[in-house]
Amino acid sequence: MTISVLLADDQALIRMAFRSLLDTMPDITVVGEAANGQEAVDLTRRTLPDVVLMDVRMPVMDGIEATRRITSSTASRVLILTTFDLDEYAFEGLRAGACGFLLKDVVPAALQAAIRAVASGDAVLTPRITRGLVDRFAQIAPWPRADDAGALFARLTPRERDVFHLIAAGLSNAELAERLFLTEATVKTHITRILTKLQLRDRVQVVIFAYEHRLRTQGG
């Protein structure tokens, strides 16, 4: 199945470069280009692309607000691309509903894989951003157990907590399996149970959960 993609970036040369790259990929079709966040919202509502590649810093409306409006009103999934390796942008983009966050220096194969993953309903995070996101803002002590989030977290088994911490630290399923001496199928089962118990949608929300509740990461 062909994946439809909308490009949103205020720099025409950047859009041209991404279009040229994506045009070489047989299963991906660029259906439009937007030069600012408002155009991205309007074009997304008209064309309903599978994935929106969203820049962060744009005029009229920034990429964070555009992401929030797109994810709240359409089924299109947003993959944020930026040159700025800043945790604030990563976190705000994820909170706005983005399914992934990559830097613009990502290699073509990784970008293609990320688009495919996001289009299929998965979440994509750059490991160095994910690790920095939690490590920078998390406190040493976990949140109070009386907190609703603490009560949810208490539902996890010790092994599920191990998996939770490693997801929050940015490890992939393969890395999780290697670290914990498990098969990838077992890791996926643990992740499914974690998402259910914590009432979360995907890996992105695991990171947000750890970040917002200042949960210490272990082994990241």
Side-chain angles (χ1 to χ4, degrees), residues 67-208:
T67 295
R68 185 175 293 109
R69 297 190 185 193
I70 286 171
T71 57
S72 66
S73 63
T74 76
S76 298
R77 298 171 67 83
V78 177
L79 179 59
I80 290 182
L81 288 167
T82 181
T83 55
F84 302 99
D85 189 0
L86 299 176
D87 294 339
E88 295 89 339
Y89 291 133
F91 183 56
E92 290 306 316
L94 300 181
R95 286 191 66 184
C99 296
F101 192 102
L102 295 173
L103 297 180
K104 287 182 180 178
D105 62 3
V106 62
V107 298
L111 174 61
Q112 184 178 24
I115 291 173
R116 289 172 174 166
V118 167
S120 67
D122 203 353
V124 176
L125 296 170
T126 298
R128 75 172 183 258
I129 291 179
T130 308
R131 293 187 178 103
L133 181 67
V134 179
D135 291 343
R136 178 176 173 182
F137 294 98
Q139 297 178 348
I140 295 301
W143 61 85
R145 291 295 294 275
D147 189 291
D148 288 343
L152 288 174
F153 190 73
R155 299 177 182 177
L156 302 185
T157 65
R159 177 57 83 189
E160 289 167 352
R161 294 184 188 189
D162 291 339
V163 173
F164 173 93
H165 289 302
L166 294 177
I167 293 173
L171 273 68
S172 66
N173 286 359
E175 292 169 328
L176 276 163
E178 182 178 1
R179 180 75 65 90
L180 298 176
F181 303 102
L182 302 171
T183 65
E184 286 195 48
T186 300
V187 167
K188 290 178 181 179
T189 298
H190 282 309
I191 293 174
T192 298
R193 290 173 178 168
I194 290 168
L195 296 178
T196 299
K197 290 181 179 181
L198 298 182
Q199 301 172 17
L200 303 177
R201 182 189 65 211
D202 53 32
R203 298 172 72 100
V204 167
Q205 291 197 343
V206 170
V207 174
I208 295 174

